[in-house]
Amino acid sequence: MKRLLLILLILALVASFFVFDLGRFLTLESLKQSQNDFAALKMQSPWLVAFVSFVLYVIAAALSLPGALIMTLAVGALFGLVMGTLLVSFASSIGATLAFLASRFLLRDIVQQRFGDKLKAINEGVAKDGALYLFTLRLVPVFPFFLINLLMGLTPMRTRTFYWVSQVGMLAGTLVFVNAGTQLAQLQSLSGILSPGMLFSFALLGIFPMIAKKITAWLQRRRVYAKWQRPAKFDRNLIVIGGGAAGLVSAYIAAAVKAKVTLIEAHKMGGDCLNFGCVPSKALIKSAKLANQIRHGEHYGLNAGVPDFSFRKVMARVHDVIRTVAPHDSIERFTGLGVEVLQGYARITDPWTVEIKFNDGTTQILTTRSIVIATGARPFVPPLPGLDEVGYVTSDTLWSTFAELDEAPKRLVVLGGGPIGCEMAQSFARLGSHVIQIEMGARIMVREDVEVSELARASLAADGVEILTNHKAVRCGTEGGRKYIVVEHDGQSRRIEFDTLLCAVGRSARLTGFGLEELGIPVQRTVTTNDYLETLYPNIYAAGDVAGPYQFTHTAAHQGWYVAVNSLFGEFKKFKADYSVIPWATFIEPEVARVGLNEQEAREQGIAYEVTKYGIDDLDRAIADGTAHGFVKVLTVPGKDKILGVTIVGEHAGDLLAEFVLAMKHGLGLNKILGTIHTYPTLAEANKYAAGEWKRAHAPQKVLAWLERFHAWKRG
Ligand SMILES: Cc1cc2nc3c(=O)[nH]c(=O)nc-3n(C[C@H](O)[C@H](O)[C@H](O)COP(=O)(O)OP(=O)(O)OC[C@H]3O[C@@H](n4cnc5c(N)ncnc54)[C@H](O)[C@@H]3O)c2cc1C
C-alpha cells in the first residue's frame, strides 16, 4: 500500500512537470531572461531564495527530472562560486540519495528476486569496490546522474556510502558548472561549458582511482616481497606440493604445456582420494550393498539369506581396488607425462625456494617461479576428554586397521552425521556391525533439505544404524576394560559402550609445518586466496582441500587447472576460479546428489524459486530393479525455464545428476532435457520425466482451451 502511494505521488509530480511544461523555464535563454528578476528577488530575501532554490533542486534531483544543469548555472549566477557550490553540492547529493532510496524501496526486492542469480557478480563487485565504481561514475559527468542514482539503489550499497561518495565525487563537476553560472552573461551555449579538453580531464580524474588501486596493489606486492632475495634464475617454472587431485592436475597441465614442473609428495601418490577417501570408501560401499541385497534376496524372488563372507576378504578387496586404480596417479605415469616427481617432504623457505627432505635424511633445494600448495586436509579429531586413551580410527587409519580384522567391529560408534559418517555408518551396519551414529546437530546431512535428511535417516535406520541426533559427545573412558562414550541430550547423559570409535566430524586443511607461518601467508580454516587462487604472494597459489571452499576431488582437480594456468600464464591472462556449477554426491543408499541450490539455500539467500518434483517410485526401470524410491527435485526461476539447482535421491543419483550439471553449465533448460531422447528403460529417464512435470505445470492453459474449441469445431 505504502509502495503504491509513493509510486502514485512520484508519477503525479513527474507528470505535472511535463503537463505544465515546467521544462520551458529550464533553458539557457529563459534563465538569461529571468536573471535580473531572480537577482532582485534575492536582494529582497536572500535566505528565502536560497531555501527555495535548495528545495527545488532537491525535488528535481529526487524525481530525476531534467534541468539540473540549468539550475546549477542559476544558483552560480545568483550566489557566486562558494555559496553556490555549497548549495548545489548538498542539494544534489540529498536529492540523489532520495532517488536512490526510492528506487531501493520500490524496485530492489523485485529486481533482486527476479535476477538475483545474474546480479550475484554485480552485487559482489559493489560490496567490494562499490564506492570506487560510484566515485568514478560521479567524477565523469558524461554518465546520466539520474540513472546512476536509480541503478545504485538496486544494489546492496549502503545509503551512507552512496551519500558521501556522491557528494565528494560530484564536487569537481559542481564547481565547474557553478563557476560557469557566475559568468552567465558571457555564456553562449551549454556545450561551451564542457570543452573536449575539460571532458578529457574529468575522464582522467575518473579513472584515477582505478589506476591508484592498481598502483597500491603493485606497491603492496613489492612490500610483500621486499624482505626476500629473488633469485636471478629459476630451476623450475612450477613446483607443486602434494600429489592428490589438485596437485596431480596442476602438475599434469604444466607438463602438457611444456613447463618444467616438479611434484613433491611426502606420502602416497594419489593423496586422500585414492588411498583413504573416495576409492576405498566406494569399494567398501559396493561390498556392503551386495551383502544387503543378499539379506533382502526376497525382493528379487530369491531366498533371503545371511550373507556369508569374510570381513578380511572384503577389506582385502578394498586394498585391491586401491592397487588397481593406483597406476592412474603413479610416479611412473606422471614421469611419463613429463612431470618430475620427488618423494619427500616439501617446505617453502622463501617465495621462490622449496626445500625437499627425502626419507633417507638428504635434502634438495629448488628455486621456482611459482609454487602450488596442494597439501590437502586431514581428519579433524575433536578435543574430547578421554578420546586418546580409548583410541579411535579416522578415514586415514581405518583402512589399514580394519584390514587386520576377521570381523567388522561388533559395536561401532560413528562420530559425525556428515557424508563420510553416513557412508561409513551404513556400510559397516550392512557388514554386520551394530552402529550408533552420533550427531550434535538436529539432523544428519545438514546441508541437504530436511526431506533429504529424513530419507537418509530412514534408510540408515532400516539398515540398523541407531542415529542419535541432537546428541553431544562429552567424554570417553574405559571401565573394566570396556570402552564407552558419554553423550548428552536434553540435559540427560547417556553412556554408550563400543568396541571401535570412528571419528568422522570433518576434515581440516593441512596448514602447518611447511613454511606458511614463516612466510606470513594468511590462513583461516584454509589458506587465504583471492579469486585467482593466489595467496599473499602472487606467485604462490593454493588449490584443493587446503584452499577450500569445497572438499571434493572434482573441485580440487578443477582448481588444479586454474592454478596451473594462472601461475604459468598469469602475466598475460588470469582466470578467476569458477564455482558457479558444482555438483556433489553422498554415496549412501539411496544416493543423494546435488548441483546448485536446494530449497534451504534458496530461502537463506532470498532467491525466489519454483519446485518441480518427480517421484522415482513411478519409474519403470527403477521398479524393475527394485530401486523404486527417491525423487528428482528441480528448482527453477519462477515462470522461467532456468534451472537453479537439482537434488536427486535414488539409485545412481550421482550419475543421473550429470545431465543437469551439463544443462546448468551451458544454460540449457528443462525444455531441452524434455526434448532429448532418453534410452528406455533407464534410470536417466527420471530426468526427462522431471522436465515433463515442469512442462505440464507450465502448459499454456488459454491456448489449450482454444485448441479444445478448435478440435471440437473440426469434428463438426
Ligand atoms: C572417506 C572419504 C571419502 C571421500 N569421498 C569422496 C567422494 O566420494 N567424492 C569426492 O569428490 N571427494 C571425496 N572425498 C574428499 C576427497 O578425498 C578430497 O577432497 C580430495 O582428496 C582433495 O584432494 P587434494 O589434492 O586437495 O588433497 P589430498 O588428496 O589430501 O592430497 C594432498 C597430498 O599432499 C601431501 N602433502 C601434504 N603436505 C605435504 C608436504 N609438505 N610435502 C609434500 N607432500 C605433502 C599429502 O601427503 C597428500 O598426499 C572423500 C574423503 C574421505 C576422507
Side-chain angles (χ1 to χ4, degrees):
M1 191 63 189
K2 270 191 212 159
R3 276 188 196 185
L4 191 65
L5 283 178
L6 186 62
I7 291 175
L8 289 176
L9 178 70
I10 293 176
L11 285 179
L13 288 170
V14 174
S16 55
F17 177 85
F18 290 103
V19 170
F20 298 114
D21 192 20
L22 299 179
R24 69 181 187 277
F25 300 114
L26 297 172
T27 62
L28 190 59
E29 293 69 37
S30 138
L31 178 60
K32 281 186 170 185
Q33 279 165 20
S34 324
Q35 191 181 5
N36 292 339
D37 300 343
F38 285 147
L41 260 179
K42 195 206 147 199
M43 288 287 281
Q44 271 174 19
S45 331
W47 287 109
L48 183 67
V49 172
F51 177 71
V52 171
S53 310
F54 187 85
V55 171
L56 285 178
Y57 204 115
V58 170
I59 293 174
L63 293 176
S64 307
L65 295 176
L69 174 56
I70 297 295
M71 290 175 76
T72 310
L73 294 175
V75 171
L78 283 177
F79 296 96
L81 186 62
V82 177
M83 182 65 185
T85 304
L86 271 177
L87 198 147
V88 171
S89 173
F90 280 97
S92 58
S93 307
I94 292 171
T97 308
L98 289 175
F100 165 90
L101 287 173
S103 152
R104 172 158 294 181
F105 179 62
L106 296 175
L107 301 170
R108 186 172 70 172
D109 288 354
I110 302 168
V111 173
Q112 290 287 351
Q113 263 174 25
R114 216 173 151 73
F115 305 106
D117 53 331
K118 284 201 191 104
L119 297 179
K120 206 167 158 241
I122 298 181
N123 289 341
E124 283 170 7
V126 168
K128 211 168 136 214
D129 282 324
L132 194 69
Y133 296 152
L134 178 61
F135 189 61
T136 308
L137 292 171
R138 289 300 195 202
L139 263 176
V140 186
V142 287
F143 301 108
F145 279 5
F146 81 93
L147 261 186
I148 299 173
N149 303 338
L150 300 181
L151 291 178
M152 282 293 170
L154 305 177
T155 70
M157 175 172 282
R158 290 194 315 179
T159 311
R160 215 171 350 142
T161 311
F162 178 83
Y163 177 82
W164 76 258
V165 175
S166 297
Q167 180 133 25
V168 177
M170 290 192 290
L171 206 55
T174 304
L175 262 169
V176 171
F177 287 108
V178 172
N179 185 48
T182 62
Q183 321 286 316
L184 194 60
Q186 285 89 57
L187 207 59
Q188 294 309 317
S189 76
L190 291 179
S191 57
I193 304 172
L194 280 185
S195 62
M198 189 171 289
L199 262 180
F200 181 68
S201 320
F202 272 125
L204 269 189
L205 265 179
I207 56 168
F208 174 74
M210 302 282 185
I211 296 172
K213 199 180 162 205
K214 290 261 178 249
I215 294 175
T216 316
W218 180 74
L219 286 173
Q220 256 171 7
R221 234 176 293 158
R222 270 179 63 107
R223 192 154 6 110
V224 165
Y225 288 115
K227 65 174 174 172
W228 308 103
Q229 180 72 40
R230 190 175 192 269
K233 280 168 58 180
F234 300 97
D235 302 319
R236 304 284 182 270
N237 297 95
L238 185 64
I239 289 186
V240 179
I241 304 177
L248 290 173
V249 170
S250 49
Y252 168 77
I253 303 281
V257 294
K258 303 295 172 201
K260 195 162 185 193
V261 52
T262 295
L263 172 77
I264 305 160
E265 170 53 55
H267 193 199
K268 293 185 173 185
M269 286 291 279
D272 274 14
C273 182
L274 170 62
N275 301 292
F276 318 105
C278 332
V279 173
S281 63
K282 270 75 246 178
L284 180 82
I285 285 168
K286 185 68 190 178
S287 299
K289 186 172 178 178
L290 203 55
N292 191 53
Q293 283 173 341
I294 293 171
R295 199 170 282 123
H296 296 287
E298 76 276 8
H299 288 329
Y300 307 95
L302 310 176
N303 291 336
V306 177
D308 183 12
F309 66 93
S310 147
F311 184 72
R312 194 179 276 270
K313 281 192 186 160
V314 168
M315 294 309 293
R317 175 182 176 271
V318 167
H319 287 279
D320 276 348
V321 171
I322 297 176
R323 267 191 295 278
T324 311
V325 178
H328 303 168
D329 298 346
S330 64
I331 297 179
E332 296 70 26
R333 173 161 182 246
F334 276 78
T335 309
L337 290 167
V339 178
E340 179 192 42
V341 182
L342 299 179
Q343 285 262 262
Y345 190 82
R347 195 166 67 84
I348 307 171
T349 55
D350 75 35
W352 305 277
T353 310
V354 175
E355 179 196 86
I356 305 118
K357 198 171 231 164
F358 298 103
N359 289 343
D360 62 6
T362 58
T363 56
Q364 183 179 357
I365 289 175
L366 287 174
T367 58
T368 175
R369 281 191 79 92
S370 299
I371 298 171
V372 167
I373 299 166
T375 51
R378 58 164 73 88
F380 173 70
V381 179
L384 200 60
L387 187 60
D388 282 339
E389 292 92 273
V390 293
Y392 57 89
V393 290
T394 64
S395 56
D396 272 5
T397 54
L398 115 89
W399 310 108
S400 52
T401 309
F402 283 17
E404 303 300 318
L405 303 181
D406 289 321
E407 282 187 356
K410 287 237 156 358
R411 295 165 305 173
L412 175 70
V413 160
V414 175
L415 261 192
I420 296 177
C422 289
E423 287 180 3
M424 294 299 100
Q426 186 178 50
S427 299
F428 287 113
R430 289 175 161 191
L431 290 171
S433 295
H434 174 71
V435 179
I436 298 186
Q437 191 179 11
I438 300 169
E439 165 57 49
M440 203 162 70
R443 56 194 174 94
I444 57 171
M445 291 175 55
V446 70
R447 291 184 64 182
E448 305 303 334
D449 282 339
V450 173
E451 63 176 331
V452 176
S453 290
E454 278 169 4
L455 262 175
R457 182 182 189 124
S459 166
L460 265 64
D463 286 322
V465 180
E466 192 182 333
I467 300 174
L468 304 178
T469 46
N470 283 320
H471 279 68
K472 185 172 182 221
V474 279
R475 66 191 156 83
C476 297
T478 43
E479 196 178 81
R482 295 201 300 266
K483 300 173 186 178
Y484 65 85
I485 181 166
V486 177
V487 290
E488 270 177 6
H489 171 65
D490 270 350
Q492 309 260 315
S493 289
R494 175 177 163 191
R495 195 162 142 160
I496 299 165
E497 287 193 6
F498 63 84
D499 301 306
T500 304
L501 186 145
L502 167 61
C503 212
V505 291
R507 294 156 42 71
S508 32
R510 279 197 196 92
L511 301 168
T512 53
F514 60 92
L516 300 188
E517 306 90 329
E518 291 80 357
L519 267 82
I521 294 180
V523 297
Q524 289 181 323
R525 288 158 69 99
T526 51
V527 178
T528 307
T529 60
N530 62 13
D531 292 343
Y532 304 103
L533 298 171
E534 292 168 353
T535 66
L536 174 71
Y537 297 87
N539 74 318
I540 304 182
Y541 294 77
D545 284 5
V546 75
Y550 298 96
Q551 288 189 331
F552 302 118
T553 295
H554 45 277
T555 46
H558 181 68
Q559 290 176 326
W561 182 89
Y562 284 92
V563 291
V565 173
N566 287 345
S567 62
L568 295 170
F569 304 109
E571 34 312 36
F572 310 110
K573 170 89 184 138
K574 280 197 278 196
F575 295 87
K576 287 184 183 176
D578 172 14
Y579 302 120
S580 55
V581 184
I582 303 285
W584 64 84
T586 302
F587 297 88
I588 53 169
E589 192 179 1
E591 282 180 19
V592 175
R594 174 138 76 92
V595 57
L597 296 178
N598 62 5
E599 288 194 72
Q600 74 184 27
E601 286 175 354
R603 277 194 297 270
E604 277 161 19
Q605 296 172 29
I607 295 174
Y609 63 92
E610 239 175 54
V611 177
T612 303
K613 207 163 157 189
Y614 169 75
I616 293 178
D617 48 325
D618 202 36
L619 186 69
D620 293 3
R621 179 56 188 266
I623 295 169
D625 282 357
T627 56
H629 41 239
F631 55 79
V632 177
K633 179 160 74 167
V634 186
L635 268 60
T636 43
V637 175
K640 283 195 168 174
D641 186 8
K642 179 162 175 35
I643 304 171
L644 293 170
V646 180
T647 302
I648 305 182
V649 180
E651 182 87 346
H652 295 304
D655 295 282
L656 297 193
L657 191 73
E659 185 169 14
F660 288 108
V661 179
L662 184 82
M664 284 185 74
K665 175 81 189 162
H666 297 286
L668 304 177
L670 292 170
N671 272 317
K672 290 276 190 274
I673 290 180
L674 188 61
T676 305
I677 299 175
H678 291 64
T679 318
Y680 180 85
T682 56
L683 296 176
E685 280 189 300
N687 297 347
K688 188 185 70 179
Y689 288 129
E693 292 291 328
W694 176 85
K695 188 75 177 175
R696 245 190 305 285
H698 293 84
Q701 296 304 336
K702 283 194 183 140
V703 177
L704 289 179
W706 186 88
L707 280 177
E708 197 173 15
R709 281 203 295 276
F710 169 72
H711 289 305
W713 171 76
K714 274 185 80 179
R715 286 196 303 273

